[in-house]
Amino acid sequence: PCAWAEISDDRLRVRLITSLEVLLSRTYHFQFLRSHDRLEDSRCLNVVRSLLNVVPLLRPTPVLDPHLLVSVAENYNCWHEVLRHLEMQLSVLRGTSRAGALVAAIRRCYRKLGEDDMWKSWARESCEEARSKRALSMDAYCMVSDAASEYEELMELAEASDSKRQPTSFEMDMWEERWILLQKEL
């Protein structure tokens, strides 16, 4: 953090961010995690996790590619570090064109972690339809029958709609997926 703060040229910081992304995307970190000589407890050396713990301490915080971060989380088991970084990035970039990709990356991380309720709350961020948000709320509060009915109505409305304003593909996929899961639960 001290060295980062001493850099006064933003162009140099951007070049360093690109180098950091290249470093994180290299596969040679993986060989140490697959080693048979490693410790089987939390003291196991994970270079990528250590690096990701330092990045949010840098001021200004570098903005890393969300797809790279999700890939790093999947390959190096550093979900919480990546989520911390993604949520910090979103707090700065909310309202910009990059916010949608960040929310999608956060949703993917929570989905991979099996955190359904957190996934639903972040899915609400991506919904444009008010009824989608309502259905997700009912779903989160275990109102299974009501939520399933709402998802079904939303799918029927989208199918019958001739209007130019169509729901996003994320919302349509979510309605179908959640409806199927809720039907199984019922």
Side-chain angles (χ1 to χ4, degrees), residues 77-113:
N77 193 25
C78 47
W79 296 99
H80 301 289
E81 293 81 6
V82 165
L83 278 167
R84 176 181 174 206
H85 192 71
L86 288 169
E87 290 174 1
M88 284 180 68
Q89 279 185 207
L90 183 62
S91 70
V92 172
L93 298 174
R94 192 175 293 276
T96 67
S97 60
R98 295 188 78 173
L102 289 167
V103 170
I106 292 169
R107 270 196 334 260
R108 184 166 177 196
C109 287
Y110 281 120
R111 167 72 44 96
K112 292 284 190 170
L113 286 171

Side-chain angles (χ1 to χ4, degrees), residues 28-82:
Y28 52 73
H29 300 297
F30 209 61
Q31 66 183 334
F32 299 113
L33 295 175
R34 297 266 175 156
S35 171
H36 296 291
D37 299 331
R38 70 186 176 114
L39 298 173
E40 293 298 330
D41 61 15
S42 62
R43 295 178 292 155
C44 177
L45 179 63
N46 187 333
V47 175
V48 175
R49 182 180 290 157
S50 300
L51 185 58
L52 285 173
N53 276 324
V54 171
V55 172
L57 302 176
L58 305 178
R59 296 291 181 258
T61 304
V63 176
L64 301 176
D65 181 68
H67 301 291
L68 171 68
L69 289 172
V70 172
S71 174
V72 165
E74 289 173 344
N75 290 320
Y76 300 107
N77 193 25
C78 47
W79 296 99
H80 301 289
E81 293 81 6
V82 165

Side-chain angles (χ1 to χ4, degrees), residues 109-177:
C109 287
Y110 281 120
R111 167 72 44 96
K112 292 284 190 170
L113 286 171
E115 294 285 345
D116 252 5
D117 289 334
M118 290 298 292
W119 179 87
K120 289 174 198 168
S121 76
W122 283 102
R124 289 192 76 212
E125 294 272 329
S126 300
C127 292
E128 294 175 3
E129 297 283 330
R131 289 186 69 185
S132 293
K133 294 179 180 187
R134 181 172 179 241
L136 275 167
S137 294
M138 288 188 282
D139 195 352
Y141 288 113
C142 298
M143 300 170 68
V144 177
S145 181
D146 294 334
S149 297
E150 190 72 21
Y151 289 130
E152 185 173 6
E153 286 178 29
L154 283 165
M155 288 186 293
E156 289 171 357
L157 281 173
E159 197 173 277
S161 176
D162 293 336
S163 70
K164 294 178 185 175
R165 185 168 177 254
Q166 287 291 320
T168 63
S169 60
F170 165 74
E171 285 183 88
M172 292 178 68
D173 292 343
M174 181 202 60
W175 297 339
E176 184 178 358
E177 175 192 340

